[in-house]
Amino acid sequence: MKKIPSSSITPEHIYRSRRKFLKWMGIGAAGAALASCAVDEKPAAVTAPSGENETPVSEELEPQEAPTETPLPSASQMTDELGRQLTRYEDITNYNNYYEFSLNKGAVAPLARDFPTRPWTIEVDGLVNTPTIFDMEDIYQMFDEEERIYRLRCVEAWSMVVPWLGFPLWKLLEKVEPTSDAKYVYFETKLDEENMPLVNRDMFVWPYTEGLRLDEAMHDLTILSTGLYGQRLLPQNGAPLRLVVPWKYGFKSIKSIVKIKLVADQPRTFWNNYAPQEYGFYANVNPKVDHPRWSQATETLVGAGIGRVETLLYNGYEEEVASMYEGMDLTVWY
Ligand SMILES: Nc1nc2c(c(=O)[nH]1)N[C@H]1C(S)=C(S)[C@@H](COP(=O)(O)O)O[C@H]1N2
Ligand SMILES: [Mo]
């Protein structure tokens, strides 16, 4: 896998217009366009640093690279707004929590490689005026995919910085028109007994489920992700559609969603069901409240090799989200 040199960082507006191009061309060709523009971009002519006799090296002289089948990963910038480096594509796609496949983070990617994600539908119903079954192909057309660079903080005290592609969940919820009785949103992962090796074991209650309060679900930071690093999601990251809630511990960001339901009461969720004292329903990132078995004060940034960094309240999104939790005691676990 090629690393993206920092010299080829693409200005935001160019990146965005490429995204439109991507929609028009379809992902494969657009991915190639991204790769050729953002990753392989070289100055038109490189002149040797000194001397009049030097010949400019023009692009035409370089051997033409064969078109690659898999587009190269690409992002609009190489750091988040706090200056933390993006986690490498290889790390994001090979160090995964996806318990349907394996409890071993390195084993998920190979086990999930052939997980079928097409065709795919997402059923959105419950307390809504227009229950709808969305086809994933229509979702790609219906919503503009934007890049969101977010920190992902796992409850196990490791983290990543991920350039997601996706769209705000509120845009999808708006389409189904929640009724005034809807107070929470419930999510469910596909239960595929044939392709998910661990769902036949009864150590957990399957399918994987999650939930948000309606205001959390409608918050603009909450996205449904379709890709990362300018490419479609791979199965290990929750293809074709997964939730990303950046101010909450990673287990809230449920993968491979097939069902979304608007409900009146706080739904039962996978980890909360399993061990309520360890995994709360709210699960907002909070360095002051330790997990019963380990500290939450710091975290290891996967692949960065810089030791532990401070964990931030609401994972650094305090300004955007704190008002939703006014009056909550920040010294206890929810
Ligand atoms: N269906 C499902 N979704 C899931 C999980 C899982 O085991 N199954 N693990 C969660 C946890 S604990 C984390 S930290 C993130 C990891 O996402 P990533 O592998 O894309 O980094 O996915 C979350 N979503
Ligand atoms: Mo996690």
Side-chain angles (χ1 to χ4, degrees), residues 97 153-156 158 249-251:
N97 271 337
R153 180 24 168 109
C154 177
V155 73
E156 300 163 333
W158 54 264
Y249 289 115
F251 65 85

Side-chain angles (χ1 to χ4, degrees), residues 206-281:
W206 306 104
Y208 195 100
T209 54
E210 258 309 333
L212 294 172
R213 213 170 59 189
L214 188 60
D215 59 335
E216 300 175 323
M218 297 298 288
H219 195 284
D220 194 61
L221 284 182
T222 303
I223 61 165
L224 285 170
S225 172
T226 50
L228 58 89
Y229 266 110
Q231 298 190 43
R232 290 277 177 257
L233 286 180
L234 295 175
Q236 60 266 38
N237 293 109
L241 193 71
R242 62 92 58 86
L243 185 70
V244 181
V245 195
W247 71 94
K248 293 179 180 285
Y249 289 115
F251 65 85
K252 298 296 291 183
S253 293
I254 181 174
K255 296 177 171 180
S256 307
I257 297 167
V258 288
K259 189 169 179 54
I260 299 176
K261 192 172 183 152
L262 283 286
V263 294
D265 302 312
Q266 185 177 303
R268 301 304 303 269
T269 56
F270 182 88
W271 283 110
N272 187 238
N273 234 0
Y274 180 75
Q277 316 74 8
E278 301 196 355
Y279 310 105
F281 175 82

Side-chain angles (χ1 to χ4, degrees), residues 4-163:
I4 304 167
S6 56
S7 60
S8 68
I9 291 171
T10 316
E12 180 81 346
H13 66 282
I14 298 175
Y15 182 79
R16 283 187 187 283
S17 65
R18 280 191 195 131
R19 298 301 310 169
K20 284 189 192 134
F21 177 65
L22 182 152
K23 273 189 106 74
W24 181 66
M25 291 285 286
I27 183 74
L34 281 175
S36 62
C37 300
V39 182
D40 287 331
E41 207 155 57
K42 297 175 197 81
V46 182
T47 321
S50 66
E52 302 143 34
N53 306 327
E54 315 282 352
T55 330
V57 183
S58 95
E59 275 229 310
E60 284 91 48
L61 297 180
E62 289 178 18
Q64 204 65 41
E65 226 174 278
T68 45
E69 217 168 272
T70 314
L72 295 167
S74 159
S76 67
Q77 24 185 102
M78 295 311 289
T79 57
D80 70 2
E81 77 284 6
L82 303 180
R84 291 187 188 176
Q85 286 282 330
L86 300 191
T87 303
R88 276 188 299 270
Y89 185 75
E90 292 89 323
D91 290 330
I92 298 173
T93 54
N94 287 290
Y95 185 89
N96 301 102
N97 271 337
Y98 202 160
Y99 273 29
E100 288 86 334
F101 291 95
S102 175
L103 311 189
N104 173 348
K105 294 181 213 320
V108 173
L111 285 167
R113 192 172 46 217
D114 299 322
F115 176 61
T117 58
R118 287 176 87 163
W120 193 276
T121 55
I122 298 121
E123 195 179 7
V124 189
D125 59 17
L127 302 171
V128 301
N129 289 327
T130 46
T132 309
I133 295 173
F134 292 91
D135 193 292
M136 201 52 218
E137 299 306 318
D138 296 332
I139 285 190
Y140 293 130
Q141 300 304 317
M142 273 168 125
F143 305 102
D144 276 325
E145 291 165 81
E146 350 170 348
E147 185 187 62
R148 298 280 185 101
I149 295 175
Y150 285 160
R151 294 172 289 285
L152 175 78
R153 180 24 168 109
C154 177
V155 73
E156 300 163 333
W158 54 264
S159 67
M160 295 189 181
V161 183
V162 184

